[in-house]
Amino acid sequence: MAVGFGQVDAAAPQVVREFADRLRSVAQAAGYVGVRELAAGTGVGRTTVSDALTAKRVPTWTTLAALLRGCDITPDRDWAKACEAAREAMEREKRAAKGASRPGDEPDDQAPTTPSPIGPGTFSIRAPYGELPPRLRGRDELLNQLEVKLAAGESRVQVLYGLGGCGKTTVALHLARHARDRGYSVFWLSASTPDRMVTGMKEVVRELGAEEEAIEAAWSGRISATDLVWRELDASERPWLLVVDNADEPGWLASDGGSPGDGTGWLRSSPAGMTVVTSRLSNPDVWGRESDTHRVGVLSPEDGRDVLLDLAGQSGDPAEALVLSERLDGLPLALKLAGSYLARSARGAGLLRRNGQSLSRVRTFAAYTEALGKAGASFLDQGEEWRLDESDMERTYRRLVSRTWEISLDLLDEQQLPEARSLMRLLSCCAPAPLPVELLDPALWNTPSDSDPALDRADRALEALIDLSLIDVVDIAPGGTLKDQEPMPCLVSHRLVLEANALRLAGGSPQEHIAVWNAIARIIEKGAEPTPEHPRNWPWWRLMAPHVVATLTAAPDNDEVLLPLLRSGLAAYAFHAFSSRFDSAAEIARLLEERGAFLANNHPLRLSIRHRAALSLLNEQEQLSEFEEILSDQLTALGPEHPETLITRHDIAIHMEEDSAEQEAELRAVLDARRRTLGPADCYTLLTHGALASVVEARGHGNDEFKAEYRALIEHTRSTTPEDHRFLPLHSRHQMAHALDSTERWTEAESEYRSVLDDLEEYGELGSNLYRDLTRCLANNLQKQKKYTDAVEVIDKLLPWFDSRDLEHSPVSPWALHIRHLRGDLLAKCGRNVEAETEIRAVLEERLKTSDPNDSVVLSERHCLAHALEGINRCTEAQDELRDVASTYAKILGSNDKHTRGSRFCLARSLHLHGHREDALGLYEQVLAAEVAELGSNHSDTLVTRFRRDQCRYDMGILKSADALAALESTKTKLAEITGDDHPRVSTIRSVISAIENGEFDKQESAAIDQE
């Protein structure tokens, strides 16, 4: 049977021979013909393979798992039991050969026989201090916590958990040295296998002074070994630190029928010393209520840089080391391997490594970063010095980037969770960036080893990967202004974990490789469904785009995989283009061209790719030629009103003679077609409509006509956030804001104003004429919404621009004084009257330096100053200002001018409110007569003055209640017909009427004033 595997040792125990035969059958069925081929296909040493297949030695579980996976067999509990049975049979054979029975096998009256040693014992429970780095970087806070707990006599178990390769063992080792230097007994145990852990505990109890008879009784099963160990530890007079390293299979620490953290197994709390566990498993429920867990994460870029400089300071400057640290994402294992490689290279390693005829020896941080980019994560493993003795392959694998995380996946295979490996292979196709959890529909994981995983099994696999720190879950808050949305849970895995899994996927069977890629292509296409052009979906696309690019870059040349990824790539291009990330869009266009080259030139998908490439990569003249050729093929293949055809027609129209009749006509034709096929509110329709409105404006059709275009455009829009129309050009959004303002859609206008101002800030245009003008427009808009505090904040954001660096930036320039005046007015409306009076008076003083006292601008400042004075109860000063302003306006402009009317009305209101009703009534009569003459008797201003006059007459007793109510009701009805029934002015009249009817006018006067 399988001559190439050698003969099975006939002297081996029958169980071991049967195990070897079973393993040989599996290898033969997988197509292996000899030891050499099996060793090469599985990465296991030839000697180890030969010993396993000839029953000379039973392989470790790690080695067996590697052999089985190389034969396309999933390592499971059945194989684990068979392996354990073979190992036990081999141990019994060895003991029999040495003439010693296992304690407990002999009758009770027979004295146990002490085994004769066959050589010096080398098993040690001393900490391997020699493996400490020159300096431990980035762990000061954690170590300080642990050292304080140790000094305080902490009894609780301390669990250090994290991703494999994050340096948990190094932290524990540093703590062990700290404890040793302070006189503690330090015991260091490995829990990577049950045998090592149990043997280590036996050495601990022996060192603590337990009697050999008790030890033999415990290890033969006559008494509890766990209780014996902890009795001795609890009774120790000297404080101790017990480290249980690599406890990735916590079940090995539990007692029969117990759990790892219940205090009955190998892991317990003790008042005599502190226990530290290192594990990849994070679940606190596993470790029990008498433990504290501490995450050991990756290092910061700066700490990673220092690690590299500590190990290989001769290999470059700190800046180059920082770049390499960032590439390795701060993973301590990777940093150690890279630094060790460079240190070895400096000592002469790699002298014979050649690339062609020239030396390609890697000796610097920069060269290492470049080599890593070409060779991937496997290059890191060259930093580890491989041992010729393969008796401890598991320990070696923990030191290799390409293998260390496979140990975690092997563990989950043993727990009957092969879905975990499938999920990691899927994720390895994606970018090292947050991936939305909702993308991972288990129904799409259609891989050969995992044909139809149930949701609960997939969920358990994901939870297990999170527990082992191979995956983290992060909540990503939506971007932009969507603060009210729930955070989006996403999966994140370390870059090198993904790269190592990608290498495993690439080296696996072709069937598994293509199946995984088919699954990820379906997942990515599903994720690309939300419309990428619309800003409401941009937070989603910010997460999706990196994964689209990563998968499209790395995908195999397979049509079934590439077609959905190319479609997703077009969507990612649209997201970048519409969100003004033009450089990123250009990179995707290049990628689309490269990966879509297998398509026929007139294939619809290829035509779309050609269009995007032309738009991003060609100059204007080349673009037009390519667009025309593409359009010709699209008209044939898709028709004149297909969305893709209309995209090309729109771009051709943009290339026509600027602002020509031909351009206007074509844009109108495209707009009509888009309205029919996409709807009037579609992003592409709005884009064409905005372009058309700009052409109409530029062609001089008249102010009313181009404004009508923008009013027609906003009929089909809703601006709920500043993000909603960010895909439109600035000019279109600017004019949309004015159109929304003119139709009293205040909140929507506010969103568009803010959108344009945000973009102007991003483009470095803060303080430009457009920025200042739109700041004023936004402040006025907010004032109309009574958002006075927000309006002040908008102005305050602009004021630092006026820093006196030149005349334009002078805080006393005409524009600065104008905006400061507006600010003062708004401060008064916010109730910040003292600040308002100070601001307006300062502006007035500046005005008087350059303007005539009778100038309308000065008089306007004085009018506003009067209101500020009234706000701080300096009413007599306020009335004097208003009286002087009204008198000056009347002399210069006449009694009927709006400025005269306005100042007289405000003076009348002040006098009315402060008891000077006769003077107030005279002024109301003057204003009313002027407004009737200028505006007519039914103008809203005229009606408000009539209301205040009749109110004053009622206060003076000139009008009785019935007459006053009749007059006020008539005025209210007429005003409501003009402004609407819910207008604040109508509400004010209604409140006064109600107060008169209820005999509560005096009580309601202030409220009525506030409503106006």
Side-chain angles (χ1 to χ4, degrees), residues 833-854:
N833 294 299
V834 174
E835 295 174 74
E837 189 267 340
T838 301
E839 183 72 271
I840 294 172
R841 193 177 291 281
V843 173
L844 176 59
E845 290 174 359
E846 293 298 334
R847 297 282 195 200
L848 287 170
K849 291 178 182 179
T850 57
S851 303
D852 187 279
N854 293 332

Side-chain angles (χ1 to χ4, degrees), residues 676-691:
R676 285 191 298 271
T677 59
L678 303 174
D682 184 84
C683 297
Y684 287 99
T685 306
L686 295 177
L687 198 63
T688 300
H689 203 160

Side-chain angles (χ1 to χ4, degrees), residues 305 308-309 312-324 364-366:
R305 171 201 62 199
L308 291 170
L309 292 171
Q314 75 291 338
S315 298
D317 60 33
E320 293 173 337
L322 182 63
V323 172
L324 179 54
T364 67
F365 296 130

Side-chain angles (χ1 to χ4, degrees), residues 642-660:
H642 188 279
E644 285 293 324
T645 306
L646 292 174
I647 288 174
T648 308
R649 287 179 61 189
H650 171 97
D651 287 330
I652 290 175
I654 296 300
H655 280 74
M656 291 178 177
E657 182 183 348
E658 192 171 0
D659 305 329
S660 63

